[in-house]
Amino acid sequence: MVKYIRGALLQGFEVDRDSSVPIYRQIETFLRRLILDGTLQSSRKLPSTRELASELGVSRITVKSVYEQLIAEGYLDARTGSGTFVTKGLNLETAPKIEFPTKRCNTPDIIIPDQAVPILSSKASVRHGETAPFRPGVPGLDFFPVKIWMKYLLEATQKGTRQNLSYGNIVGNEALRVSIANHLMEARGMQVDPSEIVITSGAQQAFVLIAFVLLNRGDTVWYENPGHIAGRDVMQIMGANVAPVPIDDEGIDLHFAAQKHPKPKVIFTTPSHQQPLGITMSLARRLDLLKYARENNTYIIEDDYDSEFRYRGRPLPALSALDSERRVFYVGTFSKSMFAAMRLGYIVVPPGLSEAFAQAKTLLGQSSSAVVEQAMSDFMDDGRFNEHIRKTRRIYRERRDVLFECLSKDCASFITPQPTDAGMHMLAWLSPNSDDRAAHHALLKRGIESLPLSVYSLTFSDPPALVLGFSGANENRIPGLVRRISQTLGK
Ligand SMILES: Cc1ncc(COP(=O)(O)O)c(C=O)c1O
């Protein structure tokens, strides 16, 4: 019987149940370290899986899987009938010198390199599965036509099998690029040659690719403040000097930015529906922005993430439709208009740049699926996409109205909802001295996933507000959810 578990073997080790590192990996890393630093010497017997599991308060299956992994890696040796031992004759002099952090942290065997620090400290929320009601940007999955979509997916899997089951075209299925070009002409007033469309695995990959192809370290990027967090952080990680620019009632404040941060390399903007304030950029501001870009050799990233959803009048054409000089990288996504798990988006790139994007995409992850691309193209060509958008618009309008009415009725003393004619979320202004992050956390505990407005800002100048997504919340549930908001924040 091995009796040294708590006394020596496990000294200083405890399973961290709050860590994002799985428990089996924590144990694996710890044992590997004991072997490498000589604490557990060659031929030493390990406790049985039952003993170790009971000492650590984990399941026996977990410990078994740790032992199996370390056996597969050559650290341990299982001898039938006698137990598990550190492999005999391990030559630890040639083992890599691994520096282990002295402090306990969530990732015990990784020293975080400098370039990863901004990635790990980004405020962009990491999704771990299910989202709770009112999470901004989540489409209404409760009425998505799953059966119809499955038919298209099945057909695309069977059709042109060799091509669709392979990597596909790195810049995207040709038929899909034609379908998107047609859609952009009808819906966004853009004349696009399909060869200038690069399919991506969503808008976020588009931002990463654009940053790689376009930015040098130290380049200035104007960024709407408040603005889309994950896009902003990508530019920052690439070494850009991200310059926050306030929003006025016509959109990004060009005058302020031109004075404070002249001659940027890139302007990142959401003209159709400013994320998150909801302002639509005026025509005058669009023309001024394009003129400024032309005169200062600046490029524009137009993030057109939810332009399909307008509840009054027709949408203004895209900023890109006014761009005769081709300075705009237009970015679209199907995450909002269809569903996020498709992982499909696209960039309309200025002429001559497709090859650079093909190369960048090859190295930065092949990403989108040729089968899904084919299915999406057929879905669009058969008019199903437009049909779905029309239905979605009707339902979202109703959800928006119900949310607005309920907030106005039940939360009037501490929330002022802001009317909106577009998009998938609504701003709910809180009383001037309240803390929107505290409100967000209080609601999260009660199963409501709003986002605080302040998290979208590099500088904290906006009054406190919550961003409430209405698109994903079924209209019948909204009244009850708003009562919960009232009970939580109205005390
Ligand atoms: C403003 C905005 N742009 C882009 C995206 C990226 O979406 P995806 O990468 O899923 O296409 C999001 C996602 O929430 C968003 O809110």
Side-chain angles (χ1 to χ4, degrees):
M1 183 78 92
V2 183
K3 285 287 180 201
Y4 56 89
I5 306 180
R6 246 322 141 198
L9 179 61
L10 295 181
Q11 216 168 48
F13 179 72
E14 237 162 276
V15 168
D16 182 353
R17 291 176 196 282
D18 296 328
S19 167
S20 57
V21 181
I23 290 174
Y24 70 89
R25 174 126 13 245
Q26 296 178 34
I27 305 171
E28 226 171 79
T29 305
F30 184 72
L31 289 179
R32 212 182 275 120
R33 169 185 164 180
L34 292 186
I35 296 170
L36 286 176
D37 70 10
T39 310
L40 270 179
Q41 287 174 353
S42 179
S43 300
R44 180 96 183 244
K45 186 171 185 185
L46 267 82
S48 70
T49 51
R50 191 189 304 280
E51 283 172 311
L52 191 54
S54 127
E55 276 292 330
L56 294 173
V58 301
S59 79
R60 207 172 149 206
I61 295 172
T62 303
V63 176
K64 260 180 121 172
S65 86
V66 169
Y67 279 15
E68 277 163 14
Q69 177 62 26
L70 294 179
I71 289 166
E73 290 178 19
Y75 287 88
L76 299 181
D77 188 16
R79 293 183 213 152
T80 320
S82 346
T84 307
F85 297 81
V86 178
T87 304
K88 197 172 168 189
L90 269 189
N91 182 3
L92 291 176
E93 278 177 14
T94 58
K97 286 272 169 284
I98 300 178
E99 278 183 53
F100 295 101
T102 45
K103 256 189 352 187
R104 268 187 68 203
C105 71
N106 281 348
T107 45
D109 58 353
I110 296 176
I111 306 279
I112 297 165
D114 289 350
Q115 79 270 15
V117 172
I119 296 182
L120 301 184
S121 56
S122 166
K123 293 274 185 307
S125 35
V126 179
R127 297 185 175 94
H128 289 290
E130 284 273 309
T131 52
F134 296 146
R135 162 118 206 163
V138 175
L141 302 176
D142 51 333
F143 61 88
F144 184 79
V146 173
K147 285 210 175 110
I148 296 175
W149 173 248
M150 275 169 62
K151 175 174 117 20
Y152 282 90
L153 207 48
L154 186 66
E155 277 171 16
T157 310
Q158 289 165 336
K159 178 162 140 185
T161 302
R162 274 220 221 122
Q163 204 167 327
N164 288 346
L165 296 191
S166 175
Y167 285 108
N169 185 333
I170 189 70
V171 287
N173 173 303
E174 259 176 57
L176 176 60
R177 288 185 287 144
V178 172
S179 315
I180 291 173
N182 291 337
H183 168 71
L184 290 176
M185 189 157 68
E186 276 167 36
R188 312 298 296 123
M190 292 165 61
Q191 292 242 340
V192 173
D193 187 321
S195 69
E196 290 158 5
I197 295 176
V198 176
I199 305 295
T200 62
S201 62
Q204 185 62 20
Q205 193 196 29
F207 306 145
V208 173
L209 293 173
I210 296 171
F212 261 92
V213 171
L214 211 58
L215 287 179
N216 282 310
R217 292 203 149 262
D219 281 345
T220 297
V221 176
W222 287 0
Y223 214 90
E224 294 177 338
N225 191 64
H228 178 49
I229 307 162
R232 174 186 72 209
D233 289 0
V234 165
M235 307 289 149
Q236 235 159 12
I237 286 156
M238 294 299 297
N241 161 33
V242 173
V245 180
I247 313 296
D248 63 23
D249 52 12
E250 291 194 65
I252 190 165
D253 189 338
L254 178 57
H255 179 71
F256 170 97
Q259 297 285 316
K260 279 254 191 192
H261 312 286
K263 295 196 178 299
K265 176 76 165 281
V266 169
I267 302 171
F268 188 110
T269 181
T270 46
S272 297
H273 185 235
Q274 203 276 330
Q275 166 78 328
L277 296 180
I279 287 149
T280 301
M281 193 184 287
S282 69
L283 181 59
R285 186 63 53 84
R286 289 169 192 242
L287 293 170
D288 287 347
L289 206 60
L290 287 169
K291 180 165 178 280
Y292 185 90
R294 195 163 56 241
E295 290 172 354
N296 292 278
N297 199 20
T298 296
Y299 291 95
I300 297 174
I301 299 173
E302 176 176 20
D303 178 9
D304 208 30
Y305 64 108
D306 71 356
S307 61
E308 291 85 1
F309 307 118
R310 246 192 189 259
Y311 310 115
R312 205 167 54 132
R314 282 174 57 77
L316 271 181
L319 173 68
S320 179
L322 300 168
D323 170 30
S324 53
E325 290 247 334
R326 303 300 310 270
R327 301 208 141 261
V328 177
F329 288 78
Y330 175 93
V331 176
T333 177
F334 292 109
S335 287
K336 314 293 173 190
S337 51
M338 293 282 287
F339 56 90
M342 288 188 82
R343 300 320 298 138
L344 270 192
Y346 50 94
I347 321 171
V348 181
V349 301
L353 283 182
S354 300
E355 206 36 50
F357 275 85
Q359 195 69 55
K361 204 180 155 197
T362 302
L363 296 183
L364 296 175
Q366 306 272 340
S367 47
S368 43
S369 142
V371 172
V372 177
E373 291 176 6
Q374 179 69 55
M376 189 62 210
S377 172
D378 297 340
F379 194 79
M380 292 174 94
D381 293 352
D382 286 355
R384 297 285 190 184
F385 181 60
N386 281 340
E387 193 182 302
H388 178 58
I389 295 292
R390 281 196 298 274
K391 179 175 174 191
T392 305
R393 215 179 272 142
R394 223 174 38 246
I395 294 174
Y396 286 1
R397 184 189 293 125
E398 185 183 357
R399 291 181 177 180
R400 173 202 65 170
D401 291 346
V402 175
L403 178 61
F404 189 86
E405 275 167 33
C406 292
L407 286 172
S408 309
K409 183 164 70 73
D410 295 337
C411 304
S413 61
F414 56 96
I415 279 182
T416 309
Q418 179 170 302
T420 179
D421 283 331
M424 303 162 75
H425 68 257
M426 178 180 296
L427 282 178
W429 298 102
L430 301 173
S431 321
N433 291 327
S434 44
D435 174 348
D436 57 9
R437 292 183 193 218
H440 153 79
H441 284 299
L443 289 177
L444 203 53
K445 281 194 193 140
R446 308 270 333 261
I448 287 177
E449 206 175 351
S450 63
L451 282 179
L453 178 60
S454 58
V455 81
Y456 292 85
S457 293
L458 277 178
T459 51
F460 298 93
S461 48
D462 292 298
L466 292 174
V467 181
L468 291 170
F470 51 77
S471 47
N474 187 287
E475 49 286 3
N476 298 322
R477 287 195 63 206
I478 292 177
L481 291 165
V482 171
R483 278 196 295 279
R484 209 185 297 167
I485 295 181
S486 169
Q487 287 153 8
T488 312
L489 302 182
K491 293 179 285 190

